[in-house]
Amino acid sequence: MGVLSRPEEVLPLVKLRVAAGRIKRQIPPEEHWAFAYTMLQRVSRSFALVIQQLGPDLRNAVCIFYLVLRALDTVGGTKDYKVLMDKFRLVATAFLELGRGYQEAIEEITRRMGAGMAKFICKEVETVDDYDEYCHYVAGLVGYGLSRLFYAGGTEDLASDSLSNSMGLFLQKINIIRDYLEDINEIPKSRMFWPREIWSKYVNKLEDLKYEENSEKAVHCLNDMVTNALSHAEDCLQYMSALKDHAIFRFCAIPQIMAIGTCAICYNNVNVFRGVVKMRRGLTARVIDETNTMSDVYTAFYEFSSLIESKIDNNDPNASLTRKRVDAIKRTCKSSCSLKRRGYDLEKSKYNSMLIMVVLLLVAIVLGMIYAK
């Protein structure tokens, strides 16, 4: 049945589709800005959607910041964005039109990230400290940079480096967990970001986790990695709770909720080693539509943490630590005294076919109104 079995996701999906179409129609006329926003959509459709939450000046700065870091990543050899590199002069032209505060933040973070990435070209991720350091260079510094851009825009206080770092690390670690199979099967050489200190407790080689005969060990290793990532969640909640500007809040909160949701899907899930594991599009649309206040964030983190808790196997070697971290997240959310009930679920539908038909009829009416304007 797909989306038809989840009528609560239909209207958010419609809104998401309309928003995506609006983005394509809002490409700026100037050549350099047209290239920047077109390229942003090509390299990351999800980021291109989330960035639309921001006001024009900050949106331009974040767009260029993202593209500059993508170009740096290309130089590092992990992605091939030939078009971006061939026409990078257009990105440079757009950069020069940004306010000086924005330029200084982008320059500083790009320089620091380049130095850090160079360090790991020949260095393996051996220890958990190495893992944290690598994630700091490729994502924590992005958190630093965004905090500086928000501050330069005049709407936010400058967040602490520690909290900014955790915002980046939480997202990056979840991506590394989710992308295990893609990275390990990379041609011509595997990309290995899981720290040896963790995976060597379960297998002799990182690639051994993908083999079916090692499924139980692989899941234990996976849960170890997820438990490590959860250590950043409380910092993320603290960072978001301090944001003042609604647009910046949504820009930050939506990816963080997607991360905790992906965390819940990946935890104790052997399919991470078999194929693509991600939140279904309808649930993603709901998160985008329903994330407007800190109460919404607390609710999402509480519900997805509860889903992780429901999947903890007492025989898992990390069960005690996982439960401790989940409990800490839930306590923080509950102490806000602002929890709602969203009913986020990862699997099944609770609705009958008659309700589905009613919802579809309402959606058809809404679509008619949208396209009549």
Side-chain angles (χ1 to χ4, degrees):
M1 293 285 288
V3 69
L4 298 185
S5 66
R6 299 182 177 88
E8 75 279 11
E9 296 176 2
V10 176
L11 186 54
L13 276 168
V14 172
K15 291 181 179 179
L16 185 62
R17 186 66 177 263
V18 171
R22 189 183 305 121
I23 292 171
K24 291 180 180 178
R25 294 192 299 272
Q26 291 177 339
I27 298 295
E30 300 88 354
E31 182 187 14
H32 50 292
W33 287 112
F35 174 78
Y37 279 99
T38 300
M39 185 54 56
L40 183 66
Q41 291 182 32
R42 289 181 60 176
V43 299
S44 179
R45 283 181 297 176
S46 59
F47 190 79
L49 184 66
V50 174
I51 200 178
Q52 297 302 314
Q53 313 301 323
L54 303 174
D57 291 345
L58 182 57
R59 181 169 65 238
N60 286 344
V62 173
C63 174
I64 297 307
F65 183 44
Y66 186 88
L67 292 177
V68 168
L69 297 186
R70 279 296 190 184
L72 183 64
D73 189 37
T74 302
V75 173
T78 57
K79 299 278 186 180
D80 181 19
Y81 292 98
K82 188 175 185 301
V83 176
L84 175 59
M85 297 308 297
D86 286 347
K87 295 188 176 181
F88 191 75
R89 59 181 174 78
L90 295 174
V91 177
T93 299
F95 170 81
L96 293 173
E97 292 184 2
L98 300 176
R100 189 60 200 155
Y102 292 140
Q103 290 183 12
E104 289 172 352
I106 294 172
E107 287 172 355
E108 177 198 352
I109 298 305
T110 303
R111 183 173 58 253
R112 293 171 66 179
M113 184 179 288
M117 291 172 66
K119 181 176 180 179
F120 276 89
I121 289 176
C122 300
K123 177 181 171 66
E124 295 289 334
V125 179
E126 297 284 345
T127 66
V128 171
D129 285 345
D130 290 340
Y131 182 46
D132 286 342
E133 184 182 13
Y134 171 77
C135 290
H136 165 72
Y137 287 133
V138 301
L141 284 174
V142 177
Y144 282 26
L146 288 173
S147 292
R148 284 157 174 72
L149 293 178
F150 300 157
Y151 178 70
T155 57
E156 300 291 347
D157 297 328
L158 184 58
S160 74
D161 285 349
S162 175
L163 295 182
S164 300
N165 190 57
S166 283
M167 288 285 284
L169 262 64
F170 189 53
L171 298 179
Q172 182 66 20
K173 287 184 175 183
I174 299 305
N175 287 341
I176 286 174
I177 291 166
R178 181 199 62 197
D179 294 341
Y180 164 83
L181 194 62
E182 177 185 340
D183 289 337
I184 207 70
N185 289 334
E186 181 77 8
I187 302 296
K189 183 181 179 182
S190 296
R191 292 186 289 175
M192 296 187 283
F193 304 121
W194 290 34
R196 182 185 297 272
E197 183 179 340
I198 290 180
W199 61 256
S200 64
K201 292 186 285 185
Y202 306 98
V203 287
N204 293 324
K205 294 184 292 184
L206 182 57
E207 57 263 34
D208 291 345
L209 294 172
K210 69 181 180 179
Y211 300 124
E212 197 165 340
E213 61 267 25
N214 295 323
S215 292
E216 183 177 2
K217 294 177 181 178
V219 168
H220 288 165
C221 183
L222 168 66
N223 293 345
D224 202 337
M225 291 286 290
V226 170
T227 302
N228 172 278
L230 288 173
S231 66
H232 304 289
E234 289 178 272
D235 277 356
C236 294
L237 290 171
Q238 185 178 343
Y239 181 102
M240 289 182 283
S241 69
L243 294 172
K244 304 171 186 176
D245 183 88
H246 182 255
I248 291 175
F249 171 78
R250 275 179 50 81
F251 171 78
C252 293
I254 290 169
Q256 294 293 333
I257 294 176
M258 295 293 295
I260 191 70
T262 301
C263 202
I265 294 171
C266 289
Y267 183 79
N268 213 41
N269 186 352
V270 73
N271 290 320
V272 170
F273 305 100
R274 304 288 181 264
V276 178
V277 175
K278 62 181 180 179
M279 286 175 62
R280 64 180 181 273
R281 189 165 178 79
L283 185 52
T284 298
R286 276 194 69 193
V287 166
I288 294 172
D289 187 48
E290 296 173 355
T291 302
N292 292 292
T293 67
M294 198 60 207
S295 174
D296 299 324
V297 173
Y298 285 131
T299 298
F301 269 68
Y302 186 90
E303 292 198 4
F304 285 125
S305 295
S306 296
L307 289 169
I308 295 173
E309 184 178 43
S310 71
K311 296 165 71 176
I312 296 175
D313 182 346
N314 289 330
N315 294 319
D316 186 277
N318 297 284
S320 178
L321 182 56
T322 308
R323 189 170 282 110
K324 179 180 177 181
R325 290 189 173 159
V326 166
D327 285 346
I329 295 168
K330 292 178 68 177
R331 277 197 308 272
T332 298
C333 296
K334 202 168 184 179
S335 68
S336 72
C337 299
S338 63
L339 294 182
K340 304 175 182 179
R341 175 159 180 77
R342 292 297 192 198
Y344 291 136
D345 74 285
L346 304 176
E347 301 286 345
K348 50 193 177 185
S349 171
K350 307 178 288 295
Y351 300 95
N352 60 37
S353 57
M354 180 60 70
L355 183 54
I356 293 171
M357 294 303 296
V358 171
V359 172
L360 288 177
L361 179 60
L362 291 173
V363 170
I365 294 171
V366 170
L367 275 173
M369 294 172 63
I370 290 172
Y371 289 107
K373 292 182 178 180

